[in-house]
Amino acid sequence: MFKKKKHMYLPICLLLTFGSCTESSEQAIPDPVQTSDTITYTNPVFEPVLADPTVVKVGSEFYAYGTEDNWGEEGGYHLVPVIKSKDLVNWELVGNSMNKKPDWKERGGIWAPDVTQVGDQFYMYYSFSTWGDPNPGVGLAIADQPEGPFVDQGKVFDSKEIGVANSIDPFYIEENGKKYLMWGSFHGLFLTELTADGKKPQGQKIQVAGNHLEAAYVFEKDGYYYLFGSAGTCCEGANSTYRVLVGRSENLAGPYLDQNGKNLLDENSGSLVVGANASNNGYAGPGHNAEIITDKEGQDWLLYHGMAKQKPKLNNGTNRRVLLLDKITWANGWPSVAGREPSTNTQESPVF
């Protein structure tokens, strides 16, 4: 099977949440079962925040990373937080995966990291951007251990250099011994080959999806490449419309078609994988999924973030994007979460 593995600050409420800085309800969210032999769990599997997650398995442990955020009185400031788990359900905070912020831009947040084991090292491609940034970009940091520290290698490209507006949300993939990067946010999703050291793009870029998607992730199964992307608004608390869509192709470079045969380059394309709960006690804005993990029994699992509608923000205004976990069901070659919405009741845990 294909393998993916795969300071100057603005006010955090503006830089990372893009919403109003108001307090929200304090209704409790159920905790996962915290025993060494967990057989069930209830979402969320980690809180208060792990936005835009990425995950890598090293030995018997999983490491997950998220966007730079200020957890306020629920945990303080975190520069690309890293958490670890043996079962995808019980997570513990390791700390920050970077000791210091990259300095190749004057200001910005480190968003949407993508971590992959490459040989004996761990590569983190990351976004460096502010909200409304005219020239965001993608950088690379490398570590010898999954918990870091990740040492910055500098800019891979910025939006002006690569010719793609809002160049954020990188995703690294290898195919036939070559390194590739897929990226983009609401100005098309693009694919480019990387140099042998993974530090610069080379050759022509290829557009694989249209302006309605960001947060690309590719999963290979049964002769197809499945391109997952997130559509809608990510960061408006309980009003967020974020959701995960998918298309598939027999080639990494596309064309990617949805279940109705519509090209992902077209507007309103993509088959729904998971969207908001209909219930007011559920989650809004589920999206920006991490890598799919297959457990010992062959069941595929999806990690992604979402906001409890009853508690969508921290007291400091940061979007409270908690980590959610759900089974992927494959039907006629197409993936989705049960009911196409986050689970809110007790679920069987992954088996490892």
Side-chain angles (χ1 to χ4, degrees):
M1 175 172 287
F2 157 83
K3 296 176 70 177
K4 160 66 176 78
K5 335 256 164 270
K6 183 194 213 169
H7 298 353
M8 185 180 292
Y9 299 104
L10 293 180
I12 291 294
C13 62
L14 294 178
L15 176 61
L16 297 174
T17 68
F18 325 135
S20 61
C21 301
T22 58
E23 294 191 3
S24 57
S25 169
E26 294 298 325
Q27 178 170 324
I29 299 173
D31 290 328
V33 178
Q34 297 291 325
T35 65
S36 59
D37 58 347
T38 298
I39 58 173
T40 62
Y41 77 95
T42 305
N43 275 320
V45 292
F46 183 81
E47 56 184 326
V49 181
L50 199 82
D52 309 324
T54 180
V55 64
V56 61
K57 188 173 189 288
V58 184
S60 62
E61 292 191 306
F62 297 94
Y63 293 82
Y65 312 77
T67 279
E68 172 189 351
D69 259 316
N70 185 352
W71 302 359
E73 58 191 40
E74 293 196 47
Y77 165 78
H78 289 283
L79 178 58
V80 190
V82 54
I83 60 177
K84 69 177 181 179
S85 172
K86 290 185 179 294
D87 57 12
L88 300 182
V89 170
N90 299 297
W91 294 89
E92 62 177 284
L93 177 65
V94 177
N96 296 335
S97 57
M98 287 182 170
N99 286 337
K100 62 179 182 179
K101 188 170 242 179
D103 61 5
W104 52 267
K105 270 177 68 70
E106 181 180 351
R107 65 180 187 178
I110 306 303
W111 301 344
D114 179 67
V115 178
T116 310
Q117 185 167 358
V118 180
D120 294 330
Q121 294 182 305
F122 297 87
Y123 281 36
M124 177 190 290
Y125 289 90
Y126 61 85
S127 314
F128 202 167
S129 180
T130 63
W131 183 243
D133 195 329
N135 192 30
V138 170
L140 170 64
I142 297 177
D144 294 327
Q145 303 176 73
E147 60 266 41
F150 283 81
V151 178
D152 189 46
Q153 308 296 304
K155 177 175 61 176
V156 178
F157 55 76
D158 62 32
S159 297
K160 292 180 180 178
E161 292 171 348
I162 201 71
V164 176
N166 208 25
S167 282
I168 59 172
D169 292 357
F171 170 74
Y172 173 87
I173 187 170
E174 293 181 3
E175 184 187 54
N176 299 325
K178 295 182 178 180
K179 296 177 171 69
Y180 294 88
L181 201 69
M182 193 175 287
W183 81 99
S185 175
F186 303 131
H187 290 78
L189 299 182
F190 290 82
L191 176 74
T192 185
E193 185 180 346
L194 296 170
T195 52
D197 60 7
K199 295 182 178 181
K200 290 294 178 183
Q202 65 178 3
Q204 293 184 335
K205 62 181 182 289
I206 300 169
Q207 186 170 358
V208 295
N211 296 341
H212 60 304
L213 294 173
E214 66 174 7
Y217 164 63
V218 175
F219 181 72
E220 190 181 22
K221 181 181 174 69
D222 297 335
Y224 287 100
Y225 295 92
Y226 289 84
L227 172 55
F228 295 74
S230 294
T233 57
C234 72
C235 306
E236 296 180 356
N239 296 320
S240 300
T241 61
Y242 225 32
R243 59 200 182 277
V244 178
L245 306 176
V246 70
R248 72 183 188 183
S249 174
E250 294 181 350
N251 300 292
L252 178 61
Y256 288 90
L257 307 181
D258 67 15
Q259 198 166 358
N260 295 320
K262 196 168 186 179
N263 196 311
L264 289 194
L265 289 168
D266 299 333
E267 292 184 15
N268 301 316
S269 60
S271 299
L272 182 64
V273 176
V274 60
N277 291 101
S279 168
N280 287 332
N281 291 321
Y283 295 91
H288 205 123
N289 59 281
E291 293 76 4
I292 290 173
I293 298 294
T294 305
D295 73 9
K296 186 177 179 180
E297 296 188 346
Q299 173 64 54
D300 291 328
W301 295 84
L302 190 70
L303 286 164
Y304 56 102
H305 75 234
M307 287 166 282
K309 293 181 180 180
Q310 298 299 317
K311 194 175 182 181
K313 291 180 181 288
L314 300 174
N315 289 339
N316 66 3
T318 299
N319 280 288
R320 200 176 191 277
R321 292 184 282 178
V322 298
L323 186 62
L324 305 174
L325 173 70
D326 278 301
K327 290 180 181 178
I328 288 281
T329 299
W330 295 89
N332 300 316
W334 290 95
S336 66
V337 165
R340 291 183 170 80
E341 62 180 28
S343 65
T344 57
N345 55 355
T346 301
Q347 303 288 315
E348 292 185 1
S349 295
V351 177
F352 292 104

